[in-house]
Amino acid sequence: MPFQKHLLNVPSLVLVLVFAILAVNAAMLTFQYSMALGLEDLQATGRHRLNLYATNLEREIDKYAYFPTTLGLKRDVLELVETPSPGRAQVQEVNEYLEQLNERAGTLSIYILDRAGKVIASSNWRHEDSFVGEDLSFRPYFREAMTRGSGRFFGIGTTRSEPGYYLSSVLANSQGALGAAVVKIGLKQLEKSWSTVEAPALVSDENGVVILASVPGWKFMTLWPLDDAARRAFDQTQQYNRQALHPLGVVDLKNLDNGARLVRLPKTNPEMVAMFPVTGEFVAQTQVLPGTPWNITVFSSQDQIRRNAADRSLLAGVVAGFLCILALMLNERRRHLNARLADREALQKAYDELERKVAERTVDLSSANIRLQQEVAERIQAERTLRAAQDELVQAGKLAVIGQLAASVAHELNQPLAALRTLSGNARKFLARGNQDTASSNLERIDGLVDRMGTVTAQLKSFARKSSGTPQVVSIRRAIDNALFLLQQRLTQARVETRVDLSESELYAWCDANRLEQVLVNLAGNALDAMDGMDEVVLELVACRNGDRVRIQVRDRGPGIPDDVRPRLFEPFFTTKEDGRGLGLGLAISAGIVADFGGSLSGDRHPDGGAVFTLEIPAAPEDPSNE
Ligand code: ADP
């Protein structure tokens, strides 16, 4: 296709825009859908982790949960708290027992408080900073044990500032509470269960303080900012042993289904080294740790699902773009095909139109042809009619000439007749006298006269005879002689000098003898008319061969042909002669006859004066024996 096909036209440009928007939309939708799916997956994984971590932690704590209670079953311990002022040996015995137990269990410390909250025996009795003698009545776990039978408490040790989980249980007999047994579990023990976590997770206590975290830096940070009253209360219980308790800075972005939240974890300074991402957007899922007032929270990073969604949306965009390009190409192809179809239709139309026009023209042509044929037929008919009329006129012309001739013929015959009468009368007389010689001489002269008269009548007969129209070999000399003979009377009367000049002894033309004579009589007659009343009357007849033609010229010494007459010479019924003397048919008929021969007739002024009529007719074949 031409150059224009490589250019996108305006509708195609709009199409490209629409397709681009579609591709972007497809990418965006895919991203959203993929994110939604990813979030669902992430939540499921998060829930699973949450359960797993919580169960592990619970199991770890449960290992120690019955420690304090079982201590209350120990007789030595119970006796110790029952005794108001126990002896040194009694205390030492319990101290050692607790020491052994602590070592075996791997706990931080195990100790016994009396009714007043004072430590009376402890696993760390050997250490300088032993709890023994310390008053821990302010610790909530003591109060809880004394009032509710057991207590749990996360706190930082006042002596060693060691964080730990305190499990307490009342020591009682039938008279009531006598004191409390306390087991402190170190965080390391608890954190053991989290050694394999693969996501940020934390345990926060009822105050929102992070007490356990898979990210080391998060410990002792708070999930929400603490007010002054809360801080003062902590100072009093020395729960966190004056730790700074900075807020972790978790920002809630959105609540998701099933209590999950979308949160942003802040960037930490300095950057933490962890096996998993610890900043950015996460799905946070929280649940209460059974048997404690604590919450365990797991953070699942959105990074991976965002990357997946971005990859998928890119793929969707590319696929949509590709489909759009395909659609565009198909559309272009469809348009191209349509254009070709339209071209073909236009071509077909043009072809049909052409065919229709050709058919019309053919009809026109055939009707024109028919008209032409009719015209030709009419012309032929007219020509026939004209020919018939011409023949009639020829006859009429002949009759006119015959009329003229009649007088001269009568005059011509009268003379010999009178001579015959005289000669025959004389012959009779000479025979009666017996003068036979003179009589026979008279009879001879009579014969001559009769012959001459026969000739005259024969000429007249031949002139009057209607021509056969069949061309023959005609002797020019004889034709001229016959014509002059017919005009003999007038020639003699007018004392005309006749000059006949033939270039060859014999000249033959291929025509009709009678009609040629008729033409010559006409021309010579006109010449005599023109020279009528003149002193010098000369009629010249000159004939010669001109190629395959014979040229005959009839010249007179008359006034010539005036300029206004020359163009009308051959017009039928054109005459300058006085009424009755001319019909104006002579030249018209002569021209017609000559044309029939296949020759031509023209009249002009002769350079030496007078008029000259030139007749050109086909020459006869070389062999005159055909005549
Ligand atoms: P018509 O002799 O009956 O007039 P023609 O057709 O023979 O008819 O001649 C037409 C006219 O041509 C004549 O009237 C005459 O004016 C002119 N014409 C013919 N021959 C000659 C001639 N030899 N000299 C002068 N004029 C002539």
Side-chain angles (χ1 to χ4, degrees):
M1 229 172 160
F3 177 60
Q4 99 183 49
K5 293 204 176 145
H6 300 290
L7 284 175
L8 291 175
N9 49 22
V10 175
S12 296
L13 214 63
V14 172
L15 218 59
V16 167
L17 272 175
V18 169
F19 285 165
I21 291 167
L22 277 177
V24 169
N25 275 350
M28 279 166 61
L29 280 174
T30 307
F31 184 79
Q32 284 170 1
Y33 182 66
S34 183
M35 278 300 282
L37 279 183
L39 275 176
E40 267 179 32
D41 278 359
L42 210 59
Q43 285 182 56
T45 314
R47 259 196 309 279
H48 179 67
R49 279 179 184 154
L50 196 60
N51 287 332
L52 189 71
Y53 299 170
T55 312
N56 285 348
L57 199 59
E58 216 182 322
R59 199 182 305 127
E60 203 61 38
I61 291 170
D62 280 353
K63 276 202 315 204
Y64 307 98
Y66 299 105
F67 258 54
T69 320
T70 47
L71 278 175
L73 302 174
K74 183 82 181 160
R75 197 174 48 81
D76 291 348
V77 175
L78 210 58
E79 278 176 4
L80 185 68
V81 288
E82 277 171 348
T83 312
S85 320
R88 197 180 161 81
Q90 192 185 357
V91 172
Q92 190 55 31
E93 199 175 331
V94 175
N95 272 345
E96 281 172 11
Y97 169 69
L98 293 178
E99 186 181 26
Q100 283 171 12
L101 191 64
N102 187 46
E103 256 174 47
R104 258 187 279 136
T107 48
L108 276 185
S109 55
I110 304 172
Y111 47 95
I112 308 293
L113 305 172
D114 67 7
R115 193 180 285 132
K118 202 175 97 179
V119 179
I120 47 174
S122 172
S123 58
N124 58 1
W125 60 275
R126 285 181 203 273
H127 297 264
E128 275 182 26
D129 52 356
S130 165
F131 301 155
V132 180
E134 255 187 69
D135 180 6
L136 296 177
S137 58
F138 61 91
R139 288 292 212 181
Y141 56 81
F142 170 69
R143 285 204 300 273
E144 280 173 16
M146 294 303 280
T147 52
R148 294 212 296 264
S150 68
R152 288 182 174 207
F153 176 75
F154 172 78
I156 296 173
T158 47
T159 319
R160 286 195 185 174
S161 300
E162 207 169 15
Y165 188 43
Y166 298 83
L167 297 168
S168 63
S169 181
V170 71
L171 298 172
N173 60 11
S174 53
Q175 283 133 40
L178 302 169
V182 179
V183 176
K184 182 180 179 185
I185 311 163
L187 291 182
K188 280 199 180 69
Q189 262 93 1
L190 297 182
E191 280 168 353
K192 261 195 282 179
S193 68
W194 278 18
S195 58
T196 54
V197 297
E198 53 211 353
L202 59 84
V203 175
S204 56
D205 68 5
E206 63 275 28
N207 301 311
V209 177
V210 177
I211 54 173
L212 208 63
S214 61
V215 182
W218 286 1
K219 232 178 270 176
F220 302 113
M221 297 191 96
T222 61
L223 293 183
W224 54 84
L226 295 176
D227 56 13
D228 289 346
R231 277 181 192 281
R232 269 198 303 277
F234 298 153
D235 286 349
Q236 204 183 356
T237 57
Q238 295 183 21
Q239 188 173 354
Y240 306 106
N241 202 19
R242 295 191 174 79
Q243 285 277 349
L245 302 181
H246 292 301
L248 183 57
V250 181
V251 181
D252 274 13
L253 298 175
K254 194 170 148 192
N255 283 330
L256 305 171
D257 297 339
N258 304 321
R261 290 166 299 136
L262 191 64
V263 299
R264 183 182 299 121
L265 294 179
K267 273 207 161 87
T268 50
N269 208 10
E271 207 76 37
M272 283 175 202
V273 181
M275 303 293 287
F276 34 73
V278 292
T279 54
E281 286 185 10
F282 292 82
V283 171
Q285 286 160 301
T286 302
Q287 77 171 46
V288 176
L289 206 59
T292 70
W294 303 345
N295 283 322
I296 177 164
T297 304
V298 170
F299 297 95
S300 308
S301 174
Q302 265 205 129
D303 277 6
Q304 190 55 44
I305 62 162
R306 193 179 283 278
R307 267 201 298 278
N308 287 347
D311 287 352
R312 281 178 199 153
S313 78
L314 187 72
L315 189 70
V318 168
V319 169
F322 175 74
L323 287 177
C324 289
I325 288 170
L326 201 71
L328 205 66
M329 280 167 68
L330 285 175
N331 184 45
E332 278 299 308
R333 188 178 149 68
R334 185 184 56 77
R335 281 184 36 202
H336 172 61
L337 283 176
N338 281 352
R340 271 182 62 185
L341 264 177
D343 281 358
R344 195 176 297 170
E345 261 173 37
L347 207 67
Q348 185 64 44
K349 239 183 216 171
Y351 179 77
D352 290 348
E353 179 68 7
L354 205 68
E355 270 207 337
R356 194 182 59 73
K357 278 188 179 161
V358 167
E360 266 178 22
R361 294 274 157 87
T362 312
V363 170
D364 284 357
L365 215 63
S366 57
S367 61
N369 202 14
I370 289 167
R371 275 205 303 280
L372 204 70
Q373 281 178 1
Q374 282 173 349
E375 232 164 75
V376 167
E378 280 167 15
R379 288 261 169 95
I380 290 170
Q381 186 56 38
E383 215 161 273
R384 275 192 195 138
T385 315
L386 201 68
R387 177 81 42 94
Q390 202 183 36
D391 284 352
E392 290 308 312
L393 283 171
V394 168
Q395 284 304 110
K398 278 181 181 175
L399 288 173
V401 174
I402 287 167
Q404 280 182 357
L405 286 173
S408 55
V409 169
H411 177 76
E412 187 72 14
L413 293 181
N414 270 345
Q415 237 187 342
L417 276 174
L420 279 177
R421 198 176 297 118
T422 313
L423 285 170
S424 62
N426 286 347
R428 232 185 0 255
K429 280 176 195 163
F430 284 126
L431 279 175
R433 285 177 200 164
N435 190 351
Q436 287 205 351
D437 290 342
T438 312
S440 82
S441 139
N442 272 6
L443 284 173
E444 265 173 35
R445 287 181 65 193
I446 286 169
D447 272 354
L449 285 170
V450 168
D451 280 350
R452 197 174 152 207
M453 284 167 71
T455 311
V456 170
T457 49
Q459 289 289 344
L460 284 173
K461 218 167 111 190
S462 96
F463 188 80
R465 192 179 67 227
K466 196 169 177 179
S467 161
S468 69
T470 317
Q472 290 170 326
V473 176
V474 175
S475 163
I476 299 298
R477 183 173 291 281
R478 188 174 300 171
I480 290 174
D481 285 348
N482 285 346
L484 291 178
F485 177 79
L486 286 170
L487 291 168
Q488 192 59 51
Q489 167 88 20
R490 285 189 71 191
L491 294 171
T492 318
Q493 252 179 10
R495 285 195 293 277
V496 176
E497 183 188 336
T498 308
R499 294 179 193 164
V500 177
D501 181 10
L502 266 67
S503 63
E504 295 167 38
S505 58
E506 279 299 337
L507 271 175
Y508 294 97
W510 184 251
C511 61
D512 182 278
N514 287 329
R515 300 181 87 186
L516 177 62
E517 284 166 21
Q518 188 182 346
V519 172
L520 292 174
V521 167
N522 262 336
L523 296 178
N526 278 344
L528 297 181
D529 286 345
M531 295 184 292
D532 195 22
M534 290 181 76
D535 293 339
E536 199 197 357
V537 183
V538 181
L539 176 65
E540 270 178 67
L541 285 146
V542 182
C544 65
R545 178 108 184 200
N546 183 21
D548 58 350
R549 307 202 147 227
V550 174
R551 180 189 288 161
I552 306 169
Q553 286 185 308
V554 181
R555 188 203 159 184
D556 61 59
R557 304 289 163 104
I561 300 162
D563 285 343
D564 58 329
V565 171
R566 197 184 314 131
R568 306 187 60 193
L569 276 178
F570 300 98
E571 252 178 49
F573 301 107
F574 171 78
T575 179
T576 56
K577 292 172 189 168
E578 296 156 13
D579 283 349
R581 287 200 61 197
L583 277 172
L585 284 171
L587 286 179
I589 291 169
S590 299
I593 291 168
V594 174
D596 271 356
F597 294 165
S600 64
L601 176 64
S602 60
D604 211 343
R605 200 197 293 267
H606 195 277
D608 299 330
V612 59
F613 280 79
T614 306
L615 182 70
E616 285 208 345
I617 49 175
E622 285 304 313
D623 184 8
S625 59
N626 289 344
E627 194 182 355

